[in-house]
Structure formats: structure tokens, C-alpha cells
Amino acid sequence: MLWLAMLLFLLALAGSVVDAKDSDLVEKMLAGMTWDDLVGQMAQIDLAVLLNEDGTALVQDQLDHYIGKLGVGSVLNNVAKGDKIWTIADFRAAAVQIQQTAQKYKRPPVIWGLDSVHGANYLYNTITTPQPINIAATFNTTASFVAGKWASVDTRRAGIPWLFSPLLGLSWEPYWSRVYETFGEDPVVVGNMAKAMIEGIQNIDEDSSLVPSRGAACGKHWVGYSMPHNGHDRAPSWIPIRHLYQYFLLPWKMVVDEVDTIMESYTEFDGVPNVANRYTLNRLLRGKLGFEGMLVTDYHEIFNLNDWHHTASDRTDAMKQALEEGSVDMSMIATVPDEYFKAMEELKYAKYKARVTESARRVLKLKEKLNMFEEAFDMDDTVDDDGPTADDLQEALHMTTESIILAQNNGDILPLNADDSLRVLVTGPTSRSQSYQTGGWTFQWQGVEVDKEDAWFTYGSNVFDAVQNVSSWEVVHKCGVDILGKDCSDDGVDATSNGALDVASDMDVIIVGVGEENNAEKPGDTRDLHLPPGQVELVSNLRKRAPDARIVVVYFGGRVHLLGDIVENADAILLGFLPGPFAGEALRDIVIGEANPSGKLPITYPKYEDGGGIPYLHAVSDMCTKDTDGPLPHWDYGLCEVQWPFGHGHSYTQFEYTNLSIDSKQLRFSMNAKDMAGLTVSINVKNAGSMAGAETVLFFSFDEFRSTTPEYKRLRGFEKVYLEPGQSTDVTLSIAMDDLRFIGPHDNSHYILQDGMRFKIGVGAHTDCRADGDNALCSESITIQTHSEYTGACEAACDLWTQSGCDTELGMSAEVCWHDCTKIHQSDRVALNNDGWGWNYVECIESILFEPSFETESCWKLTSFCRDIFATPDMDEFGNGPTPSHHAGVIKPDHLAFALAFLSGITGAVMIITSMRGGVCSRRKGPAYEGVEMQVDTEIT
């Protein structure tokens, strides 16, 4: 069947231009699609299904079957089998072959998605940027934007327009294997960094001739995935609803209107798998947050309802749950596409047609937005395959350097003088490996195998190779121990002694690289945060052998590991995390003072395994018991000790903070948001040292009290400034009143203000305005003032009436709504401290307003399915208050029996008459209908 949409598609692939902004294009396509066509657009299969056995090329017969016959709408992944390293040209040739197959069978273009997590990390000879945790450590949103832009450009050079990045989870669980994929533990940092990366990925370069011309980001993983209850990947998330709204949703709220696609997660939230979770997908993501883009599953996740979560009886039941309970548009069905199509064939009923059509619509709209219907590409469009430019590589080195944290520098032993004649030992399992300094999701899922480093990395260096280039130093390398802390060999034969310890006493400087194996997702699970004992013992033994040597420890790893005795045995500690291929040069430049470290911790680095002090924005009541070392009772309560706090990081220069000021000590609530002024905080920052450097200025709030337990402190904003020696600048932060809201005590999902609540602003990672309120870096107390009648539930309800347009439709103005609801709160005839019409009422009208089909013509539902506030304006949510006069004559219990008997009699008479006439459904159109039972589900084509 040749329909108009397919004709337009053919013209596009032939080089003609189709107006992708034509709002009718997708609808015309949908009008001509069969059930099978729609289902095909919702399918995403692994590239492995289309590859030959040795992973060197696509198999055309497989393409003809899955793309041509079945109409698969998307593929994903890199080449995960065989020894061939695919180039940009290889990937692009495969993309062209896939699109040509779609063209041959008159199918819509196929969208390819790839995990470009830190640069185009699966594509050879492209820029591999630092992992996201390192990008966060820069506290530089420009770095995140540039990283996203590079990833997008290089991925699109391969003909792939869809990037599965960034990750918006909060890293509150240090055991989790995917910590390095996050932007840390703070909602403000995560939200700002993710927003910048999304803008970089989806950035449109009008001057570029690259096709595909646009990239789509994919926010992941919705929702709560980063907080598995035991730290194991894919374990159930344990997040209180109040915490979900107060912390975990905030980054998503910052990006939901901008990101093109979202990926749901492997986890289950509150016992319900996210892939078929009506609350998280429909009510929350589509409803409250208003996400209108395309939603894709994580790998195999719909079938995991049967295979992993065990909430479905079989795979067809799993597909049924996903259709009925959630709003997923595309199933990442991995390597079992035939089972997906089989299940969808079994669900080929009319009741699912609208659901399937809507998902196909979102898929096609994404392709339309990415100009896939109007852009034809072939090998002639390939940008040269020579790799990154020299300028881009220099900028990547700078980004890497900026992401490394100087956590400890006893006696200011760093920087070392590159002109001194020093004997330097470089040792430890991560000291001579670009793979260990780059991590997972590089070349392959679990990272580059150590024996394939030379084949994969085309630039950068490991620590030893970089340090060797300091001409005045005599540098030797000894392996010390392997990555598991076991004996290793320097000459390829079994070690008879530890070579590092043998030469340690002759050294002036010892640089030790410690860390963890590469990992990604579930294979990276751990039950122990300690480094392997052999690594810790290596540092201890080096200190014993060389008590006068300067020991510099460098940590490479995707999450925090407890350093134990390393801290006291090392003079300096650099936290590299996973900075990428350029880590060697970056570390060398920092060690010799060619670069001034400016990285700050985006997570809290723990000292103990119990999780105390994590995250930094823990409840003020979350304290530890401390031993005072005195006579009984020798204990006290205090903050849980950590190794280094969030925001910690040294520089080679000194920054002075002075003249902290706030523009108001009172913030007043107004019903009109435009009239509600926020707070402006300003401070002067001066480089008082002798070396140019960058400083991240952190602004925290300290709530003195609140109706729900406040955080110990909470980041409200940050800014990074670069200053020459002696230079100073004023740094200003504006905090909106809405940013100071919190989830109140009577409801667990709405943001309120509190009359009389006081707080202070403190500047700097180590400033504690609770312990030292008179500190010059702590502001005076600031008070929030609301109207005396302020009620959070009334504010929420009246906002919903206004936003929905029902205020005009039913004559409920904002002023009338506010007056009628809040007067209950002030009444002495109802319960003390009531919430006006109540939070149950708010939840009820949200359930109606957040339905996708809601229009103002449906406003009557607010009073029919929820409480009729026009009839009972003076009652609280429990029915307390004066009875409305028009209800004075309501049927009383003694009259109820008569009324029910009368209605029963009428109903019985109708049934008798109906039965005598053959029943209301007894009409036949002919003999062909004899004996046919009504089917609940109607099959469709």
C-alpha cells in the first residue's frame, strides 16, 4: 500500500525536502498504518540481531526481515562481538544500509540509539570525555555543555542521532556501581549539569553541514534507580515519597520541558516495576511533570516483568501490563524481537489501538523533530575520519585537569618542582593503565580490556608515561600489586619479591595509583567499600621503606572506596575518579604545578562503611554517637565523621571571602507569583595567593526550624570564577521564593511555605552556620512571611483551578477560591490547623486534570467526581463545619428505607417488562449471529 506519507518519505530519501514542520505529516502516516505498522515503530532491537557471526557486517536477510517485513522502528547498541574495531565510516555505512532497507520496503526511517555516556565512548578515535562524576567535579556547566556537544557531533558523524545520556539520578548510595555515571548527590548540581549536557547534545549548529543535523538526548533513568536499598544494581528502590518529591524529582523538573526522550529504569519503585507503574509513568511523569516526549524502556525491561520482577505470568502478560499500566512508547526488546511481535499479535485488540497509536505518534514525532523525514544521508556526508582536532584535544585535556580533586596536601608538598633532579617511583595497579583511568562504557560495556589499550586509545597517556616526560626526573615503574591487591610481576614471570618495595628507599617521590576494576551496571556490584587490602598494604609498606619520601596517592575508580590507612601514610591524595584518556597528562601537570587544581567533590567521601554523613543534605537529626575518650559516660552526639565533605577540594592558591550581604531579612509570600520577591546574596571573592586559579563558590541554606525535619544544610546555588593573583570579584546568587519551598507535614508530594520559618545563608563547603552562626560567612537570619490565612492545600487547589482554565469555565476566580478555602483554616468551628478543603481534594482534582484527555469542557468533573466545593464551601476535608442550608432537607435514615423500597419496585417492574419482550439485547440481524457470544476484546487489523 502506497500512502502519501511513504511517498513523502521516498522523496526525502531521494534528496527532496519534505517540510518536517508540517503538523499533518505524522497524522497522515498514522492514518495509513496497520496494527503491525504501529507495533513495529514501538520496537527497538539490538544491533547484534542484525550482525553476522564475527561482527564485521550487517546481514541483509536479517535487515529485510526485521526492518522490511516487521517494520522495526529503532535499533540500539554498538558492535559487541568479534575482534574488529569499527570506525566512524563503518558505523555510518551500517546506518546507511539500515535506512536504505527501510526505503526499499517503504518504511519510516529507523532511529539508532547509542550509550554515548562520556563522549562518543563506543566510537573509535573520537573524544572520550571524563565520566559524568568528573564533569560534576568541575562545577562548570560549560564543561557539561561541551561534553554533550562533542558526544552529539561524533555520534551523528556515525549516522546515529539518539544519545542515551545524561543520567539524572542522585548518588546517595556509595555502593552502587553506577555512581560514576551520575553528576553527584546534590539536586541543584545534578539538574544544572544535566540541563547543560542536554542542551549540548540537542544543540543545533546552523553552520554545520553534518547529517543527521540534530541529536536527541535521553534523560535516564526514571525514577529512583540511583537509590537501590542495598546498593546493588537493579535492586528495589527505597525512597520515601516525601524524599522523592523533595530531592529526586528536582533535576527532572529542570529538564523535562527540554529533553526529547526519557528512559525508564530497571528498578521497582514502592514495589511496582517502573516499566508498568501507573503512578510514576502516568500520574507523575506524564501528568504532574507534563512530559510529552518519547519514553523508552531500559534493556529488555518489559519482558523483565516476567523474567526478573515476576509480576507477569508470561511475556505476553508483561506486554499487556506495560500497555495498560504505563505510558512507555518504545520497548528496548534487545535480542528477542520475535517474542515481542508474537506477544503484540496476541494483544491485537481494538481496546489497545488508541494506546498503540499514541506511542507510534510520539516515535514518529521524534523522528520528525530530528529532521529524519527530510534529510537523506550517505557516505558523501561523512565528516573526515581523521579524529579529533588539536584544539578539541587541548580543550579535552583542560576539562580533564579541571575534574581532578586535590583532597589532601599535607605541608603543601605539591606542587613539585619540575626542574629539581628527583628520583621518582611510579607504582600501583592503576598507574600504568589508560583503561583503569577511563572506566566502563568505553569501547565495550565493561570498558576496554587492559590488553587492548594500545589498539583502542589513540591519544592521551597513563600516569607513568606522562611523568616520564619530566626531563629532570629519573622515573622508574614497578607494578607493586595488581588491581585485586595481589602480587604482580614486572618482567612477565612470577614475582619473587615486590619490586616497588625493593627500590622505595632510594626514591625522593613515590606516586601510587590505586583504585578498582572497570565495571558497569550489575557486574559491578560490591558488598565491601574497602580497597583491596593489598593496595592499602602497599602504601603502608612504602611508607615504612621510605619514611622520608614524599608519597602522592592517586585514586581512580567509579565510586568512593574507603582509603583507610592510606590517608595517614600519604602526603598528598588526588581523587581522579574516572577522568579519561588524558588523566596521565592532567595528573602530571597538577603534580608539577603546570595546572592549578580546582575540582571539588560532588559527593561526600565516606570514612566508614555505615553511610553516616551521606548525603551531605541529611536530616539535621541524623547524628552519630562519638567516643569522648573521657571517664564514663564517655560518649556524645554529633555529626557523623566523613573523610571529606561535599564541595571539598584544595587549590595551590588561597581565596578570601568577604562582605557577605543579603538584600532582605524578610521574604513575603504573595498570591501573585510575579509580586513575590526572592533573595539576593552577594559575596566578594579574592585570589590572595600567588598563582592564578579557579574557585567554586557554594551557597548553602541552614533552616533553623521547619514543620518537617530540615536538612543539616542545602545547596542553593554555585558559581565558578577564575581569578588572577590579587584579583577579586563579587559573586551574586538569586534565590527564588519557590526554591525555598519544602514538602509539608500533612501531605507528602506538594511544596509549601511556612510562616515564620527562619534560615541563614552560608558560603563555602566547610562553613557551618549551625555550629558557628556568628561566622562572617554566615548571613543574618532570614524570615519567610506568609499571610496569616496561608494554607498549602488551598494554594495548591487554587493554582490547579487557574492552570486548568476551570476557574473561568465554572466561575471560580483565584480570589474567590483563596477566600473560600482559607476561611476554613481560620474558623473556630472546625479542627485546629486544618488544611481548608484538604490535600485529599487536591489529589482528586489532580487525578482528573492530569489525564491527557482533559479539556476545559470537562471541568464539570471537578465537582462531580471530587468534592463539590460550591455546595460545601465551609467544610474541611473531614466534613467538619456548618451544614449548608440547601442540604437541611436531605433524606434522613428513617426515610431511606421507603426511598429504597420505591426505587426497588420501579426497577423490578422494568425488569419484568423487559423480560417479557425478550430482553434489551435479544435483537438478531440474521441466522449468522445464532449462538455467537459477545467478545470483550475485538481484534483489529
Side-chain angles (χ1 to χ4, degrees), residues 541-579:
N541 290 332
L542 287 168
R543 172 54 72 202
K544 293 175 184 176
R545 294 289 184 94
D548 297 325
R550 287 162 283 184
I551 296 181
V552 179
V553 171
V554 180
Y555 171 75
F556 291 125
R559 59 193 144 198
V560 296
H561 275 277
L562 303 182
L563 299 179
D565 292 342
I566 287 177
V567 176
E568 65 181 60
N569 285 312
D571 297 294
I573 297 177
L574 288 152
L575 301 177
F577 289 112
L578 295 173

Side-chain angles (χ1 to χ4, degrees), residues 173-176 429 482-485 514-517 519 524-537 555-567 605-611 643:
E173 177 45 76
Y175 286 84
W176 192 42
D482 68 14
I483 197 67
L484 299 179
V514 299
E516 67 173 345
E517 288 185 281
N519 62 78
D525 280 358
T526 184
R527 303 183 73 178
D528 189 353
L529 275 185
H530 292 90
L531 280 175
Q535 293 192 34
V536 179
E537 291 166 4
Y555 171 75
F556 291 125
R559 59 193 144 198
V560 296
H561 275 277
L562 303 182
L563 299 179
D565 292 342
I566 287 177
V567 176
Y605 206 106
K607 189 172 183 178
Y608 304 103
E609 281 194 287
D610 66 350
Q643 195 69 67

